Amino acid sequence: MPIELDIRAEQPADYPTVFKVHELAFDRPDEGHLIDKIRASDKYIPELSVVAVSDGQILGHVIFSKICIDATAGPTKEVLALAPLAVRPEYQSKGVGSALCRYGLDKARELGWDAIIVLGSPTYYPRFGFEPASEFGVESPFPLNDPNAFMVLELRENSLEGYEGMATYPDFFSEFG
């Protein structure tokens, strides 16, 4: 039976639970600390920090924040990073993460964003339309074991045309493993 989910923007009262959800999902506190840094920065977009709630319990969270593509032969393009996404371990593989992603992608589109970059599972994110970033000429600033793990989703067709170059993340992304 599918889980009944209410998906909404997180509220300040949710912060400790969101931290715990990420800690449980990743078995470490790094992602929770990263989210704290995003919230404290000018890269934070409150409408794009989203929780999935069922029966009053937060089951999952995703955050999208501002990053840039430094185009080699042109201007910088501001886009979104999807990172991190977490679901409580006992609710993983039950559609919670997918529901969070779909909601976030729709909200980003509604807010007028052109593209989203994710460093994640190349078997998970393509279901939402993500493609290898190399197909768009976008390079990862992070070392990659699998180049297909760095992906892009254009929310508006051809919105990245002419913006080939290095994706740049705030320095605090590098503080966490």
Side-chain angles (χ1 to χ4, degrees):
M1 182 170 189
I3 300 170
E4 291 280 328
L5 293 174
D6 176 31
I7 300 182
R8 60 167 174 79
E10 73 170 348
Q11 304 301 310
D14 300 329
Y15 294 176
T17 305
V18 165
F19 190 98
K20 189 65 176 170
V21 166
H22 284 273
E23 189 173 43
L24 291 168
F26 290 99
D27 200 27
R28 63 184 189 186
D30 295 11
E31 286 73 13
H33 290 304
L34 174 59
I35 293 163
D36 289 342
K37 295 264 188 175
I38 292 169
R39 285 190 201 111
S41 77
D42 64 350
K43 308 303 180 193
Y44 178 58
I45 306 164
E47 304 91 334
L48 291 175
S49 185
V50 181
V51 292
V53 181
S54 182
D55 292 327
Q57 181 183 23
I58 294 175
L59 306 185
H61 172 261
V62 66
I63 190 167
F64 298 80
S65 58
K66 300 174 197 174
I67 62 168
C68 292
I69 298 171
D70 288 333
T72 308
T76 297
K77 172 83 170 170
E78 193 171 54
V79 298
L80 294 173
L82 185 171
L85 164 67
V87 175
R88 288 181 177 274
E90 65 271 28
Y91 292 99
Q92 291 175 5
S93 300
K94 296 184 181 196
V96 177
S98 292
L100 282 165
C101 274
R102 284 191 193 92
Y103 180 95
L105 299 178
D106 289 345
K107 186 57 120 175
R109 210 175 267 115
E110 176 186 313
L111 293 173
W113 288 93
D114 289 334
I116 299 172
I117 295 177
V118 67
L119 174 58
S121 168
T123 58
Y124 182 76
Y125 289 100
R127 73 183 74 181
F128 306 106
F130 283 90
E131 301 174 72
S134 59
E135 293 182 19
F136 297 88
V138 177
E139 301 168 41
S140 172
F142 309 113
L144 301 173
N145 290 330
D146 179 350
N148 291 326
F150 194 66
M151 295 169 273
V152 169
L153 171 64
E154 279 186 317
L155 297 174
R156 292 179 195 351
E157 192 172 342
N158 299 321
S159 61
L160 293 181
E161 198 167 300
Y163 290 101
E164 295 82 9
M166 180 69 68
T168 56
Y169 287 70
D171 290 341
F172 54 77
F173 269 81
S174 298
E175 294 174 22
F176 307 100

